[in-house]
Amino acid sequence: MEKQTVDPWKWGEHTNSVQAVEVKQVAGTLYCSGQVAIDANGQPSTADMRSQLLQTFQNLEQLIGEAGYECSGIVRLNVYTTSVTEFFTTCTDVYQAWIAGHGIKQATTLLEVRGLFAGLTVELEATVVK
């Protein structure tokens, strides 16, 4: 797989994403449903947003790995949250560390939504290539 990122504006260097990702010679594409903080027994988390994000990362990593892909192949990562303000004040550091830890340069959209499944506060939706 060949991957090229496009970010024509200087301010883009200070974000944890890029404006576009082009991929060529892809061996496969995995479209992940939105992942949330649900445990192995199907119980949604009642923890704070930061803890939910950490559990959501674990779930996303497990899904991607079991499908035979790697998190470094994420080319699009959409974030849905019930509070953009809370996300930026309590989750940005762990979000950026997770992105950097996997060497991801992804297109992304951050959306504040009225509500998520079972009262959860954050959901991640990924597209992964290999």
Side-chain angles (χ1 to χ4, degrees):
M1 179 242 330
E2 292 178 35
K3 181 173 156 183
Q4 176 183 334
T5 61
V6 181
D7 205 338
W9 300 285
K10 185 80 173 152
W11 58 262
E13 295 174 7
H14 306 289
T15 68
N16 57 16
S17 63
V18 296
Q19 296 303 306
V21 179
E22 178 186 33
V23 288
K24 295 179 182 178
Q25 301 177 356
V26 174
T29 304
L30 180 68
Y31 299 93
C32 300
S33 293
Q35 299 299 300
V36 293
I38 294 179
D39 67 20
N41 297 315
Q43 295 301 310
S45 174
T46 58
D48 60 44
M49 185 182 287
R50 184 182 181 92
S51 298
Q52 286 187 31
L53 181 60
L54 291 169
Q55 176 66 54
T56 302
F57 283 144
Q58 291 173 1
N59 292 349
L60 186 59
E61 287 172 353
Q62 181 177 352
L63 174 63
I64 290 169
E66 288 189 16
Y69 288 73
E70 296 180 11
C71 290
S72 61
I74 293 174
V75 294
R76 183 159 191 84
L77 184 63
N78 292 336
V79 180
Y80 303 93
T81 180
T82 55
S83 172
V84 169
T85 300
E86 184 178 354
F87 186 85
F88 275 113
T89 58
T90 65
C91 296
T92 302
D93 61 331
V94 294
Y95 180 81
Q96 290 176 342
W98 189 83
I99 296 294
H102 288 289
I104 301 168
K105 289 286 189 181
Q106 82 293 353
T108 193
T109 299
L110 172 65
L111 293 171
E112 183 170 300
V113 296
R114 189 175 199 129
L116 293 168
F117 172 75
L120 293 165
T121 59
V122 65
E123 183 169 333
L124 300 175
E125 177 186 58
T127 304
V128 192
V129 297
K130 64 176 172 181

